[in-house]
Coordinates of all heavy atoms in Angstrom, one line a residue:
M1 N -50.0 -67.4 -54.3 CA -48.6 -67.3 -54.4 C -48.0 -68.3 -55.3 O -48.3 -69.5 -55.1 CB -48.0 -67.4 -53.0 CG -46.5 -67.3 -52.9 SD -45.8 -67.3 -51.2 CE -46.2 -65.7 -50.6
N2 N -47.2 -67.9 -56.3 CA -46.6 -68.9 -57.2 C -45.3 -69.3 -56.6 O -44.8 -68.8 -55.6 CB -46.6 -68.4 -58.6 CG -45.6 -67.2 -58.7 OD1 -44.6 -67.1 -58.0 ND2 -45.9 -66.3 -59.6
R3 N -44.7 -70.3 -57.3 CA -43.4 -70.9 -56.9 C -42.3 -69.8 -56.7 O -41.6 -69.7 -55.7 CB -42.9 -71.9 -57.8 CG -41.6 -72.5 -57.4 CD -41.0 -73.4 -58.5 NE -41.7 -74.6 -58.7 CZ -41.4 -75.6 -59.5 NH1 -40.3 -75.5 -60.2 NH2 -42.1 -76.6 -59.7
E4 N -42.2 -68.9 -57.7 CA -41.1 -67.9 -57.6 C -41.3 -67.0 -56.4 O -40.4 -66.6 -55.7 CB -41.1 -67.1 -58.9 CG -40.0 -66.1 -59.0 CD -40.1 -65.3 -60.3 OE1 -40.8 -65.6 -61.2 OE2 -39.3 -64.3 -60.4
E5 N -42.6 -66.6 -56.2 CA -42.9 -65.7 -55.1 C -42.5 -66.4 -53.8 O -42.0 -65.8 -52.8 CB -44.3 -65.2 -55.1 CG -44.7 -64.3 -56.3 CD -46.2 -64.1 -56.4 OE1 -46.9 -65.0 -56.1 OE2 -46.5 -63.1 -56.9
A6 N -42.9 -67.6 -53.7 CA -42.7 -68.4 -52.4 C -41.2 -68.6 -52.2 O -40.7 -68.4 -51.1 CB -43.4 -69.8 -52.5
L7 N -40.5 -68.9 -53.2 CA -39.0 -69.1 -53.1 C -38.3 -67.8 -52.7 O -37.4 -67.8 -51.9 CB -38.4 -69.7 -54.4 CG -38.7 -71.2 -54.6 CD1 -38.3 -71.6 -56.0 CD2 -38.1 -72.0 -53.5
N8 N -38.7 -66.7 -53.3 CA -38.2 -65.4 -52.9 C -38.4 -65.1 -51.5 O -37.6 -64.5 -50.8 CB -38.7 -64.3 -53.8 CG -38.1 -64.3 -55.2 OD1 -37.0 -64.8 -55.4 ND2 -38.8 -63.8 -56.2
C9 N -39.6 -65.4 -51.0 CA -40.0 -65.2 -49.6 C -39.1 -66.0 -48.7 O -38.6 -65.4 -47.7 CB -41.5 -65.6 -49.4 SG -42.2 -65.2 -47.9
V10 N -38.9 -67.2 -48.9 CA -38.1 -68.0 -48.0 C -36.6 -67.8 -48.1 O -35.9 -67.9 -47.1 CB -38.4 -69.6 -48.1 CG1 -39.8 -69.9 -47.9 CG2 -37.9 -70.1 -49.5
K11 N -36.2 -67.4 -49.3 CA -34.7 -67.2 -49.5 C -34.2 -66.1 -48.6 O -33.1 -66.2 -48.1 CB -34.4 -66.8 -51.0 CG -33.0 -66.8 -51.3 CD -32.7 -66.7 -52.8 CE -31.3 -66.9 -53.1 NZ -31.0 -66.9 -54.5
E12 N -35.0 -65.1 -48.3 CA -34.6 -64.0 -47.4 C -34.5 -64.5 -45.9 O -33.8 -63.8 -45.1 CB -35.7 -62.9 -47.4 CG -35.9 -62.2 -48.7 CD -37.1 -61.3 -48.8 OE1 -37.7 -61.1 -47.7 OE2 -37.4 -60.8 -49.8
Q13 N -35.0 -65.6 -45.6 CA -35.0 -66.1 -44.2 C -34.0 -67.2 -44.0 O -33.7 -67.6 -42.8 CB -36.4 -66.7 -43.9 CG -37.6 -65.8 -44.0 CD -37.5 -64.6 -43.0 OE1 -37.1 -64.8 -41.9 NE2 -37.8 -63.4 -43.5
L14 N -33.4 -67.7 -45.0 CA -32.5 -68.9 -44.9 C -31.1 -68.6 -45.3 O -30.8 -67.7 -46.0 CB -33.1 -70.0 -45.8 CG -34.5 -70.4 -45.6 CD1 -35.0 -71.5 -46.6 CD2 -34.7 -70.9 -44.1
T15 N -30.2 -69.5 -44.8 CA -28.8 -69.5 -45.3 C -28.8 -70.1 -46.7 O -29.8 -70.7 -47.1 CB -27.9 -70.4 -44.3 OG1 -28.4 -71.7 -44.4 CG2 -28.0 -69.9 -42.9
E16 N -27.7 -69.9 -47.3 CA -27.6 -70.5 -48.7 C -27.7 -72.0 -48.6 O -28.3 -72.6 -49.5 CB -26.2 -70.0 -49.3 CG -26.1 -70.4 -50.8 CD -27.1 -69.7 -51.7 OE1 -27.5 -68.5 -51.4 OE2 -27.6 -70.3 -52.6
H17 N -27.0 -72.6 -47.7 CA -27.1 -74.0 -47.5 C -28.5 -74.5 -47.3 O -29.0 -75.5 -47.9 CB -26.2 -74.5 -46.3 CG -26.3 -75.9 -46.0 ND1 -25.7 -76.9 -46.7 CD2 -27.0 -76.6 -45.0 CE1 -26.0 -78.1 -46.2 NE2 -26.8 -77.9 -45.2
R18 N -29.3 -73.8 -46.4 CA -30.6 -74.2 -46.1 C -31.5 -73.9 -47.3 O -32.5 -74.7 -47.6 CB -31.1 -73.4 -44.9 CG -32.5 -73.8 -44.4 CD -32.6 -75.3 -44.0 NE -31.6 -75.7 -43.1 CZ -31.5 -76.9 -42.6 NH1 -32.4 -77.8 -42.8 NH2 -30.5 -77.3 -41.8
Y19 N -31.3 -72.9 -48.1 CA -32.1 -72.6 -49.3 C -31.9 -73.7 -50.3 O -32.8 -74.2 -50.9 CB -31.7 -71.3 -49.9 CG -32.5 -70.9 -51.1 CD1 -33.9 -70.6 -51.0 CD2 -32.0 -70.9 -52.3 CE1 -34.6 -70.3 -52.1 CE2 -32.7 -70.6 -53.5 CZ -34.0 -70.3 -53.3 OH -34.8 -70.0 -54.4
T20 N -30.6 -74.2 -50.5 CA -30.3 -75.3 -51.4 C -31.0 -76.5 -51.0 O -31.6 -77.3 -51.8 CB -28.8 -75.5 -51.5 OG1 -28.2 -74.3 -52.0 CG2 -28.5 -76.6 -52.4
H21 N -31.0 -76.8 -49.7 CA -31.8 -77.9 -49.1 C -33.2 -77.8 -49.5 O -33.9 -78.8 -49.9 CB -31.5 -78.0 -47.6 CG -32.5 -78.7 -46.8 ND1 -32.6 -80.1 -46.8 CD2 -33.6 -78.3 -46.1 CE1 -33.6 -80.5 -46.0 NE2 -34.2 -79.4 -45.6
T22 N -33.8 -76.6 -49.3 CA -35.2 -76.4 -49.6 C -35.6 -76.7 -51.0 O -36.6 -77.3 -51.3 CB -35.6 -75.0 -49.2 OG1 -35.4 -74.8 -47.8 CG2 -37.0 -74.6 -49.6
L23 N -34.7 -76.3 -51.9 CA -34.9 -76.6 -53.4 C -35.0 -78.1 -53.6 O -35.8 -78.6 -54.4 CB -33.8 -76.0 -54.2 CG -33.8 -74.4 -54.3 CD1 -32.6 -74.0 -55.1 CD2 -35.1 -73.9 -54.8
G24 N -34.1 -78.9 -52.9 CA -34.1 -80.3 -53.0 C -35.4 -80.9 -52.5 O -35.9 -81.9 -53.0
V25 N -35.8 -80.4 -51.3 CA -37.0 -80.9 -50.7 C -38.2 -80.6 -51.6 O -39.1 -81.5 -51.8 CB -37.2 -80.3 -49.3 CG1 -38.6 -80.6 -48.7 CG2 -36.1 -80.8 -48.3
M26 N -38.2 -79.4 -52.2 CA -39.3 -79.1 -53.1 C -39.4 -80.1 -54.3 O -40.4 -80.6 -54.6 CB -39.1 -77.7 -53.6 CG -40.2 -77.2 -54.6 SD -39.8 -75.6 -55.4 CE -38.5 -76.2 -56.6
S27 N -38.2 -80.4 -54.9 CA -38.2 -81.3 -56.0 C -38.7 -82.7 -55.6 O -39.5 -83.3 -56.3 CB -36.7 -81.3 -56.5 OG -36.7 -82.3 -57.6
A28 N -38.2 -83.2 -54.4 CA -38.6 -84.5 -53.9 C -40.1 -84.5 -53.7 O -40.8 -85.5 -54.0 CB -37.9 -84.8 -52.7
A29 N -40.6 -83.4 -53.1 CA -42.1 -83.4 -52.7 C -42.9 -83.4 -54.0 O -44.0 -84.1 -54.0 CB -42.4 -82.1 -51.9
I30 N -42.5 -82.7 -55.0 CA -43.3 -82.7 -56.3 C -43.3 -84.1 -56.9 O -44.3 -84.6 -57.3 CB -42.7 -81.6 -57.2 CG1 -43.0 -80.2 -56.7 CG2 -43.3 -81.8 -58.6 CD1 -42.2 -79.1 -57.4
S31 N -42.1 -84.7 -56.9 CA -42.0 -86.1 -57.4 C -42.9 -87.1 -56.7 O -43.6 -87.9 -57.3 CB -40.6 -86.6 -57.4 OG -39.8 -85.8 -58.2
L32 N -42.9 -87.0 -55.4 CA -43.7 -87.9 -54.5 C -45.2 -87.6 -54.7 O -46.0 -88.6 -54.8 CB -43.3 -87.7 -53.1 CG -41.9 -88.3 -52.7 CD1 -41.5 -87.9 -51.3 CD2 -41.9 -89.8 -52.8
A33 N -45.5 -86.3 -54.8 CA -47.0 -86.0 -55.0 C -47.5 -86.5 -56.3 O -48.6 -87.1 -56.4 CB -47.2 -84.5 -54.9
E34 N -46.6 -86.4 -57.4 CA -47.0 -86.9 -58.7 C -47.2 -88.4 -58.6 O -48.1 -89.0 -59.2 CB -46.0 -86.5 -59.7 CG -46.0 -85.0 -60.1 CD -44.9 -84.5 -60.9 OE1 -43.9 -85.3 -61.1 OE2 -45.0 -83.4 -61.4
R35 N -46.2 -89.1 -58.0 CA -46.2 -90.5 -57.9 C -47.4 -91.1 -57.2 O -47.9 -92.1 -57.5 CB -44.9 -91.0 -57.3 CG -44.8 -92.5 -57.2 CD -43.4 -92.9 -56.7 NE -43.3 -94.3 -56.5 CZ -42.2 -94.9 -56.1 NH1 -41.1 -94.3 -55.8 NH2 -42.2 -96.2 -56.0
F36 N -47.8 -90.4 -56.1 CA -48.8 -91.0 -55.2 C -50.2 -90.3 -55.4 O -51.1 -90.5 -54.6 CB -48.3 -91.0 -53.8 CG -47.2 -91.9 -53.5 CD1 -45.9 -91.5 -53.4 CD2 -47.4 -93.3 -53.5 CE1 -44.8 -92.3 -53.2 CE2 -46.4 -94.2 -53.4 CZ -45.1 -93.7 -53.2
G37 N -50.3 -89.4 -56.4 CA -51.6 -88.8 -56.7 C -52.0 -87.7 -55.7 O -53.2 -87.5 -55.5
A38 N -51.0 -87.1 -55.0 CA -51.4 -86.0 -54.1 C -51.4 -84.7 -54.9 O -51.1 -84.6 -56.0 CB -50.3 -86.0 -53.0
D39 N -51.9 -83.7 -54.2 CA -51.9 -82.3 -54.8 C -50.5 -81.8 -54.9 O -49.9 -81.5 -53.9 CB -52.8 -81.4 -53.9 CG -53.0 -80.1 -54.5 OD1 -52.1 -79.4 -55.0 OD2 -54.2 -79.6 -54.4
V40 N -50.1 -81.6 -56.2 CA -48.7 -81.2 -56.4 C -48.4 -79.8 -55.9 O -47.4 -79.5 -55.4 CB -48.4 -81.4 -57.9 CG1 -47.0 -80.8 -58.3 CG2 -48.4 -82.8 -58.4
K41 N -49.4 -78.9 -56.1 CA -49.2 -77.5 -55.7 C -49.1 -77.4 -54.2 O -48.3 -76.6 -53.6 CB -50.3 -76.6 -56.2 CG -50.3 -76.4 -57.7 CD -48.9 -75.9 -58.3 CE -48.6 -74.5 -57.9 NZ -47.2 -74.1 -58.4
K42 N -49.9 -78.2 -53.5 CA -49.9 -78.2 -52.0 C -48.5 -78.7 -51.5 O -47.9 -78.2 -50.6 CB -51.0 -79.0 -51.4 CG -52.3 -78.3 -51.4 CD -53.4 -79.1 -50.7 CE -54.7 -78.4 -50.7 NZ -55.8 -79.2 -50.1
A43 N -48.1 -79.8 -52.1 CA -46.8 -80.4 -51.8 C -45.7 -79.4 -52.0 O -44.8 -79.3 -51.2 CB -46.6 -81.7 -52.5
E44 N -45.7 -78.8 -53.1 CA -44.7 -77.8 -53.5 C -44.6 -76.7 -52.5 O -43.5 -76.3 -51.9 CB -45.0 -77.2 -54.9 CG -44.0 -76.1 -55.3 CD -44.4 -75.5 -56.6 OE1 -45.3 -74.7 -56.6 OE2 -43.8 -75.9 -57.6
I45 N -45.8 -76.1 -52.1 CA -45.8 -74.9 -51.2 C -45.4 -75.4 -49.8 O -44.7 -74.7 -49.1 CB -47.1 -74.2 -51.3 CG1 -46.9 -72.7 -50.9 CG2 -48.2 -74.8 -50.4 CD1 -46.4 -71.9 -52.0
A46 N -45.8 -76.6 -49.4 CA -45.4 -77.1 -48.1 C -43.9 -77.3 -48.0 O -43.3 -77.0 -47.0 CB -46.2 -78.4 -47.8
A47 N -43.4 -77.8 -49.1 CA -41.9 -78.1 -49.1 C -41.1 -76.8 -49.1 O -40.2 -76.6 -48.3 CB -41.6 -78.9 -50.3
I48 N -41.6 -75.8 -49.8 CA -40.9 -74.5 -49.9 C -40.9 -73.9 -48.5 O -39.8 -73.3 -48.1 CB -41.5 -73.6 -50.9 CG1 -41.2 -74.1 -52.3 CG2 -41.0 -72.2 -50.8 CD1 -42.0 -73.4 -53.4
F49 N -42.0 -74.0 -47.8 CA -42.0 -73.3 -46.5 C -41.7 -74.1 -45.3 O -41.7 -73.6 -44.1 CB -43.4 -72.7 -46.3 CG -43.6 -71.4 -47.1 CD1 -44.3 -71.4 -48.3 CD2 -43.1 -70.2 -46.6 CE1 -44.5 -70.3 -49.0 CE2 -43.3 -69.0 -47.3 CZ -44.0 -69.1 -48.5
H50 N -41.3 -75.4 -45.5 CA -41.1 -76.3 -44.3 C -39.9 -75.8 -43.4 O -40.0 -76.1 -42.2 CB -40.9 -77.7 -44.7 CG -39.4 -78.1 -45.1 ND1 -38.8 -77.8 -46.3 CD2 -38.5 -78.7 -44.3 CE1 -37.6 -78.2 -46.2 NE2 -37.4 -78.8 -45.0
D51 N -39.0 -75.1 -43.9 CA -37.9 -74.6 -43.1 C -37.9 -73.0 -42.9 O -37.0 -72.4 -42.4 CB -36.5 -75.0 -43.6 CG -36.1 -76.4 -43.2 OD1 -36.7 -76.9 -42.2 OD2 -35.2 -76.9 -43.8
Y52 N -39.0 -72.4 -43.3 CA -39.2 -71.0 -43.3 C -38.8 -70.4 -41.9 O -38.2 -69.4 -41.8 CB -40.6 -70.6 -43.7 CG -40.8 -69.1 -43.6 CD1 -40.4 -68.3 -44.6 CD2 -41.5 -68.5 -42.5 CE1 -40.6 -66.9 -44.6 CE2 -41.7 -67.2 -42.5 CZ -41.3 -66.4 -43.5 OH -41.5 -65.0 -43.5
A53 N -39.2 -71.1 -40.8 CA -39.0 -70.6 -39.5 C -37.8 -71.2 -38.8 O -37.6 -71.1 -37.6 CB -40.3 -70.8 -38.6
K54 N -37.0 -71.9 -39.5 CA -35.9 -72.7 -39.0 C -35.0 -71.9 -38.0 O -34.5 -72.4 -37.0 CB -35.0 -73.2 -40.1 CG -33.9 -74.1 -39.7 CD -34.3 -75.5 -39.4 CE -33.1 -76.4 -39.2 NZ -33.5 -77.7 -38.7
F55 N -34.8 -70.6 -38.3 CA -33.8 -69.8 -37.5 C -34.5 -68.8 -36.7 O -33.9 -67.8 -36.2 CB -32.8 -69.2 -38.5 CG -32.1 -70.2 -39.3 CD1 -32.3 -70.3 -40.7 CD2 -31.2 -71.1 -38.7 CE1 -31.6 -71.2 -41.4 CE2 -30.5 -72.0 -39.4 CZ -30.7 -72.1 -40.8
R56 N -35.8 -68.9 -36.5 CA -36.6 -68.0 -35.6 C -36.3 -68.4 -34.1 O -36.1 -69.5 -33.8 CB -38.1 -68.1 -35.9 CG -38.4 -67.7 -37.3 CD -38.1 -66.2 -37.5 NE -38.3 -65.8 -38.8 CZ -39.5 -65.2 -39.2 NH1 -40.5 -65.0 -38.3 NH2 -39.6 -64.8 -40.4
P57 N -36.3 -67.4 -33.2 CA -36.1 -67.6 -31.8 C -37.2 -68.5 -31.3 O -38.4 -68.5 -31.7 CB -36.2 -66.2 -31.2 CG -36.0 -65.3 -32.3 CD -36.5 -65.9 -33.5
K58 N -36.8 -69.4 -30.3 CA -37.7 -70.3 -29.7 C -39.0 -69.6 -29.1 O -40.1 -70.1 -29.3 CB -37.0 -71.1 -28.6 CG -37.8 -72.2 -28.0 CD -36.9 -73.0 -27.0 CE -36.9 -72.4 -25.7 NZ -36.2 -73.2 -24.7
E59 N -38.8 -68.5 -28.5 CA -40.0 -67.8 -27.9 C -40.9 -67.3 -28.9 O -42.1 -67.3 -28.7 CB -39.5 -66.7 -27.0 CG -38.9 -67.2 -25.6 CD -39.9 -68.1 -24.9 OE1 -41.1 -67.8 -24.7 OE2 -39.4 -69.2 -24.5
E60 N -40.4 -66.9 -30.1 CA -41.3 -66.4 -31.1 C -42.1 -67.6 -31.7 O -43.3 -67.4 -31.9 CB -40.5 -65.8 -32.3 CG -41.3 -65.3 -33.4 CD -40.5 -64.7 -34.6 OE1 -39.3 -64.7 -34.5 OE2 -41.1 -64.4 -35.6
M61 N -41.5 -68.7 -31.9 CA -42.2 -69.9 -32.4 C -43.2 -70.3 -31.4 O -44.4 -70.7 -31.8 CB -41.2 -71.0 -32.7 CG -40.4 -70.7 -33.9 SD -39.5 -72.2 -34.5 CE -38.2 -72.4 -33.3
K62 N -42.9 -70.3 -30.1 CA -43.8 -70.7 -29.1 C -45.1 -69.8 -29.1 O -46.2 -70.2 -29.0 CB -43.2 -70.7 -27.7 CG -44.0 -71.1 -26.6 CD -43.3 -71.1 -25.2 CE -44.1 -71.6 -24.1 NZ -43.4 -71.7 -22.8
G63 N -44.8 -68.5 -29.3 CA -45.9 -67.5 -29.3 C -46.8 -67.8 -30.5 O -48.0 -67.6 -30.4
I64 N -46.2 -68.1 -31.6 CA -47.0 -68.4 -32.8 C -47.9 -69.7 -32.6 O -49.1 -69.7 -33.0 CB -46.1 -68.5 -34.1 CG1 -45.6 -67.1 -34.4 CG2 -46.9 -69.1 -35.3 CD1 -44.5 -67.1 -35.5
I65 N -47.3 -70.7 -32.0 CA -48.0 -71.9 -31.8 C -49.3 -71.6 -30.9 O -50.4 -72.1 -31.2 CB -47.1 -73.0 -31.1 CG1 -46.1 -73.5 -32.1 CG2 -47.9 -74.1 -30.5 CD1 -45.0 -74.3 -31.5
Q66 N -49.1 -70.8 -29.9 CA -50.2 -70.4 -29.0 C -51.2 -69.5 -29.7 O -52.4 -69.7 -29.6 CB -49.6 -69.8 -27.7 CG -48.8 -70.8 -26.9 CD -48.0 -70.2 -25.8 OE1 -47.6 -69.0 -25.9 NE2 -47.8 -70.9 -24.7
K67 N -50.7 -68.5 -30.4 CA -51.6 -67.5 -31.0 C -52.4 -68.2 -32.1 O -53.6 -67.8 -32.3 CB -50.7 -66.4 -31.6 CG -51.5 -65.3 -32.3 CD -50.7 -64.2 -32.9 CE -51.5 -63.3 -33.8 NZ -50.8 -62.8 -34.9
E68 N -51.8 -69.0 -32.9 CA -52.5 -69.7 -34.0 C -53.3 -70.9 -33.5 O -53.9 -71.6 -34.3 CB -51.6 -70.1 -35.1 CG -50.8 -68.9 -35.7 CD -51.8 -67.9 -36.3 OE1 -52.8 -68.3 -36.9 OE2 -51.5 -66.7 -36.3
Q69 N -53.3 -71.2 -32.2 CA -54.0 -72.3 -31.6 C -53.7 -73.6 -32.3 O -54.6 -74.4 -32.6 CB -55.5 -72.0 -31.6 CG -55.9 -70.8 -30.8 CD -57.4 -70.5 -30.8 OE1 -58.1 -70.9 -31.7 NE2 -57.8 -69.7 -29.8
M70 N -52.4 -73.8 -32.5 CA -51.9 -75.1 -33.0 C -52.0 -76.2 -31.9 O -52.3 -75.8 -30.8 CB -50.5 -75.0 -33.5 CG -50.3 -74.0 -34.6 SD -48.5 -73.9 -35.0 CE -48.6 -73.0 -36.5
N71 N -51.8 -77.4 -32.3 CA -51.9 -78.5 -31.3 C -51.0 -78.2 -30.1 O -49.7 -78.1 -30.3 CB -51.6 -79.8 -32.0 CG -51.8 -81.0 -31.1 OD1 -51.8 -80.9 -29.9 ND2 -52.1 -82.1 -31.7
P72 N -51.5 -78.0 -28.9 CA -50.6 -77.7 -27.8 C -49.6 -78.8 -27.5 O -48.6 -78.6 -26.8 CB -51.6 -77.5 -26.6 CG -52.9 -78.1 -27.1 CD -52.9 -78.1 -28.6
L73 N -49.8 -80.0 -27.9 CA -48.9 -81.1 -27.7 C -47.5 -80.8 -28.4 O -46.5 -81.3 -27.9 CB -49.4 -82.4 -28.3 CG -50.5 -83.1 -27.5 CD1 -51.0 -84.4 -28.2 CD2 -49.9 -83.5 -26.1
L74 N -47.5 -79.9 -29.4 CA -46.3 -79.5 -30.0 C -45.3 -79.0 -29.0 O -44.1 -79.2 -29.1 CB -46.5 -78.3 -31.0 CG -46.9 -78.7 -32.4 CD1 -47.3 -77.4 -33.2 CD2 -45.7 -79.4 -33.1
L75 N -45.8 -78.3 -28.0 CA -44.9 -77.6 -27.0 C -44.3 -78.6 -26.0 O -43.3 -78.3 -25.3 CB -45.7 -76.6 -26.2 CG -46.2 -75.4 -27.0 CD1 -47.1 -74.5 -26.2 CD2 -45.1 -74.7 -27.7
E76 N -44.7 -79.9 -26.1 CA -44.1 -80.9 -25.2 C -43.0 -81.6 -26.0 O -42.2 -82.4 -25.3 CB -45.2 -82.0 -24.8 CG -46.3 -81.3 -23.9 CD -47.3 -82.4 -23.5 OE1 -47.0 -83.6 -23.5 OE2 -48.4 -81.9 -23.1
Y77 N -42.8 -81.3 -27.2 CA -41.7 -81.9 -28.0 C -40.6 -80.8 -28.1 O -40.7 -79.7 -27.7 CB -42.2 -82.2 -29.4 CG -43.1 -83.4 -29.4 CD1 -44.5 -83.2 -29.4 CD2 -42.6 -84.7 -29.4 CE1 -45.4 -84.3 -29.4 CE2 -43.5 -85.8 -29.4 CZ -44.8 -85.6 -29.4 OH -45.7 -86.7 -29.4
S78 N -39.4 -81.3 -28.5 CA -38.3 -80.4 -28.6 C -38.6 -79.2 -29.5 O -39.2 -79.4 -30.6 CB -37.1 -81.2 -29.3 OG -36.1 -80.3 -29.7
P79 N -38.1 -78.0 -29.1 CA -38.3 -76.8 -30.0 C -37.7 -77.0 -31.4 O -38.1 -76.3 -32.3 CB -37.6 -75.7 -29.2 CG -37.6 -76.2 -27.8 CD -37.5 -77.7 -27.8
E80 N -36.8 -78.0 -31.5 CA -36.2 -78.2 -32.8 C -37.3 -78.7 -33.8 O -37.1 -78.6 -35.0 CB -35.1 -79.3 -32.7 CG -33.8 -78.8 -32.2 CD -33.2 -77.8 -33.1 OE1 -33.1 -78.0 -34.3 OE2 -32.7 -76.7 -32.6
L81 N -38.4 -79.2 -33.3 CA -39.4 -79.7 -34.2 C -40.5 -78.6 -34.5 O -41.4 -78.8 -35.2 CB -40.1 -80.9 -33.6 CG -39.2 -82.1 -33.3 CD1 -39.9 -83.2 -32.6 CD2 -38.6 -82.6 -34.6
W82 N -40.4 -77.4 -33.9 CA -41.5 -76.4 -34.0 C -41.4 -75.7 -35.3 O -42.4 -75.2 -35.8 CB -41.4 -75.4 -32.9 CG -41.6 -76.0 -31.5 CD1 -42.0 -77.2 -31.1 CD2 -41.4 -75.3 -30.2 NE1 -42.1 -77.3 -29.8 CE2 -41.7 -76.2 -29.2 CE3 -41.0 -74.0 -29.9 CZ2 -41.6 -75.8 -27.8 CZ3 -40.9 -73.6 -28.6 CH2 -41.2 -74.5 -27.6
H83 N -40.3 -75.6 -35.9 CA -40.1 -74.7 -37.1 C -41.0 -75.1 -38.3 O -41.5 -74.2 -39.0 CB -38.7 -74.5 -37.5 CG -38.1 -75.8 -38.1 ND1 -37.5 -76.8 -37.4 CD2 -38.0 -76.1 -39.4 CE1 -37.1 -77.7 -38.2 NE2 -37.3 -77.4 -39.4
A84 N -41.2 -76.4 -38.5 CA -42.0 -76.7 -39.7 C -43.5 -76.3 -39.6 O -44.0 -75.6 -40.5 CB -41.9 -78.2 -40.0
P85 N -44.2 -76.7 -38.5 CA -45.6 -76.2 -38.4 C -45.6 -74.7 -38.3 O -46.6 -74.1 -38.8 CB -46.1 -76.9 -37.2 CG -44.9 -77.5 -36.4 CD -43.8 -77.6 -37.4
V86 N -44.7 -74.1 -37.6 CA -44.7 -72.6 -37.5 C -44.5 -72.0 -38.8 O -45.2 -71.0 -39.2 CB -43.7 -72.1 -36.4 CG1 -43.5 -70.6 -36.5 CG2 -44.1 -72.5 -35.0
G87 N -43.6 -72.5 -39.6 CA -43.3 -72.0 -40.9 C -44.6 -72.0 -41.8 O -44.9 -71.1 -42.5
Ligands
LIG101 FE1 -35.6 -79.2 -43.9

């Protein structure tokens, strides 16, 4: 998936404000990856999708955490923190 495809994918899920925020996070992530020698494409795709699940229902996110066998400790933290790993 290239940048344009990823951005089109998340844009459908986000408010205009949240999409603008995502573009800023993407830009910062790319800059930081370049500065610190990290994988720029991985940083870019992680930034683009970090808020993908921001507006999903709590029960849907909980189900994804369990189905995908993510770290169960996630469920002990506030649901406000679930959207990034779920995304
Ligand atoms: Fe964010």
